[in-house]
Amino acid sequence: MLEDYRNQVLETLFGNVEHCIVVVDREGCISYMNESYCRFIDVDQTTVKGKHVTDVIENTRMHIVADTGEEEMADLQQIRGDYMIAHRIPLWENGKVIGALGMVLFRDTDEWKIMNTHIKDLLLELETYRNQMQQQNGAKYSLHDIITSSPDVLQLKEKIRKTAHSDVSVLLRGESGTGKELFAHSIHHLSERSTKPFVKVNCAAIPEDLIEAELFGYQEGAFTGAKKGGKPGKFQLAHGGTLFLDEIGDMPLRAQVKILRALQEGEIEAVGAVHPQEVDVRIIAATNQSLEEMIQEQRFREDLFYRINVVQIDIPPLRTRRGDIKILSKYLLQKISDRTGKRVEEFSKAVEDVFYKYRWPGNVRELENVIESAVHMTDGETVHYEDLPSHLQKESAPVQEAETLKQIVEQTEKQAIQKVLRETDGDKSVAAKRLGIGKTSLYDKLKKYNL
């Protein structure tokens, strides 16, 4: 009765207004959506209640506001190809966030179309400038490219906004595939050095005998095979900008000494050079190793550690922020579909369940690789369980729960029949031929497995 009363109140307040109104609960599931919004996005008002808002409204941030309790006013949101102005307000009760209310504003259609065209033109112009900046400085990603609803990651993004403008060194820590490079690019984009070069060095990929020449450059004749006129190192190339030292734990001790001097004195010495050269770089380092343990084992300099670890960013693994798996999956599916030109729009419920339960040792990078593989394997617009890589099927296959050989055989048979029926659009005659069984036998099995 209380639920019905609440719905009546919401309908009385918002049912007849022209603005689009949506209310979500603490978990981001829709509690109410008025008729104007349902009509605008072409959904049935009787079916949207209880669905997660990301499954109904594109590019929404309602679930994030319900999670963080931070309001977002006059935010641009793209819906069905057009840009709208959205207000998102957290709802509080007894000092706790219990949900959020969202309102999409749009004015007279013709007037809005003119404004929307202007917005699109400005965004295209902004994208052009961004691409030019990317070509000049080498940084491809910004903070908006970090897709998340995790409170921990949202807090990290806020930490980056507060510290990016300064010149302090930053140490990014996290498992392989968590997106450390994405964070490094974002820091550079928000810094005062954003118009200057962003240079990346993968310390693990450079042979130990070449790393000094790669980092600090060399003079002509410095060694046999040295390039005529010499060659600038990564420090020289990053002068005025940002140097990203990825996998810094694999840096040889000899090179660590020179890097420390570069940070302390602001100068480097190229291989074969007589005099030092001044450089001005900001250091962002990244590692998936325990540098503290390496210090104990005398494989990493303690003084360098404290020099690069002024601000520490600990990026959580994907398995500890499972709420991100769904929104990341949808984002990556769209990105990969656009890149490959193959129209794949959604995941089956079985695939979503596998994604949620899997531990993702390779984190976001592994998730992207899995989705890309599945997009190539699927024959339709939906990614099904059978389209997933074999290691994910083995990891999460229902047959693992079976106790007897008979159960294993039956589950495998059921999955095979379901797959062929999908591929034949439910044509049982064709499906029976492909399965190599008679039509009567197929009908018996359909009845047996309640298909």
Side-chain angles (χ1 to χ4, degrees), residues 36 122 139 178 189-190 278 293 323 439 444:
S36 291
L122 288 174
T178 50
H189 260 301
L190 290 174
E278 288 189 1
E293 289 182 8
K439 196 172 179 180
D444 289 339

Side-chain angles (χ1 to χ4, degrees), residues 22 25 51 93 102 108 139 143 168 196 217 242 258 261-262 283 302 324 368 379 400 410 450:
V22 63
D25 62 19
K51 290 185 178 180
E93 184 177 285
D108 174 78
L143 213 55
V168 296
K196 300 297 182 180
T242 303
K258 283 199 162 188
R261 181 186 175 188
I283 294 291
E302 187 174 11
D324 275 354
E368 183 170 6
D379 295 321
Q400 291 182 337
E410 286 179 345
N450 196 26

Side-chain angles (χ1 to χ4, degrees), residues 148-162:
T148 185
S149 63
S150 163
D152 291 340
V153 181
L154 289 171
Q155 193 173 5
L156 288 183
K157 291 174 75 169
E158 188 59 33
K159 187 176 183 179
I160 285 171
R161 289 189 185 97
K162 291 178 180 178

Side-chain angles (χ1 to χ4, degrees), residues 14-39:
F14 304 120
N16 296 316
V17 300
E18 287 300 317
H19 297 317
C20 296
I21 304 293
V22 63
V23 178
V24 301
D25 62 19
R26 184 70 174 79
E27 284 71 41
C29 295
I30 295 174
S31 300
Y32 173 79
M33 182 181 285
N34 72 347
E35 181 60 32
S36 291
Y37 213 150
C38 292
R39 189 169 58 248

Side-chain angles (χ1 to χ4, degrees), residues 231-288:
K231 180 185 175 183
K234 301 297 185 182
F235 269 87
Q236 290 96 324
L237 294 174
H239 181 65
T242 303
L243 183 63
F244 176 42
L245 299 175
D246 198 10
E247 305 297 348
I248 195 169
D250 293 307
M251 179 79 67
L253 282 168
R254 187 177 59 187
Q256 290 178 33
V257 176
K258 283 199 162 188
I259 289 176
L260 183 62
R261 181 186 175 188
L263 295 178
Q264 289 177 335
E265 308 296 334
E267 60 181 28
I268 60 167
E269 199 169 296
V271 178
V274 178
H275 302 290
Q277 177 183 356
E278 288 189 1
V279 288
D280 172 27
V281 298
R282 179 190 193 172
I283 294 291
I284 300 176
T287 184
N288 59 6

Side-chain angles (χ1 to χ4, degrees), residues 14-15 17-23 30 32-45 48 53 56-62 77-80 84-88 101-106:
F14 304 120
V17 300
E18 287 300 317
H19 297 317
C20 296
I21 304 293
V22 63
V23 178
I30 295 174
Y32 173 79
M33 182 181 285
N34 72 347
E35 181 60 32
S36 291
Y37 213 150
C38 292
R39 189 169 58 248
F40 178 56
I41 61 176
D42 194 22
V43 296
D44 186 347
Q45 191 178 22
V48 296
V53 69
V56 179
I57 305 173
E58 59 182 313
N59 302 312
T60 183
R61 291 176 53 84
M62 288 293 295
Q77 180 177 347
Q78 190 177 33
I79 303 177
R80 306 188 74 176
M84 304 294 165
I85 296 174
H87 297 331
R88 307 181 190 97
L101 181 145
M103 180 185 298
V104 171
L105 310 176
F106 55 97

Side-chain angles (χ1 to χ4, degrees), residues 68-112:
T68 63
E70 297 180 6
E71 71 173 31
E72 298 179 354
M73 304 299 290
D75 186 39
L76 276 181
Q77 180 177 347
Q78 190 177 33
I79 303 177
R80 306 188 74 176
D82 288 328
Y83 288 92
M84 304 294 165
I85 296 174
H87 297 331
R88 307 181 190 97
I89 305 165
L91 302 175
W92 297 79
E93 184 177 285
N94 297 325
K96 294 182 179 180
V97 179
I98 59 169
L101 181 145
M103 180 185 298
V104 171
L105 310 176
F106 55 97
R107 299 162 67 179
D108 174 78
T109 305
D110 292 333
E111 186 178 351
W112 178 256

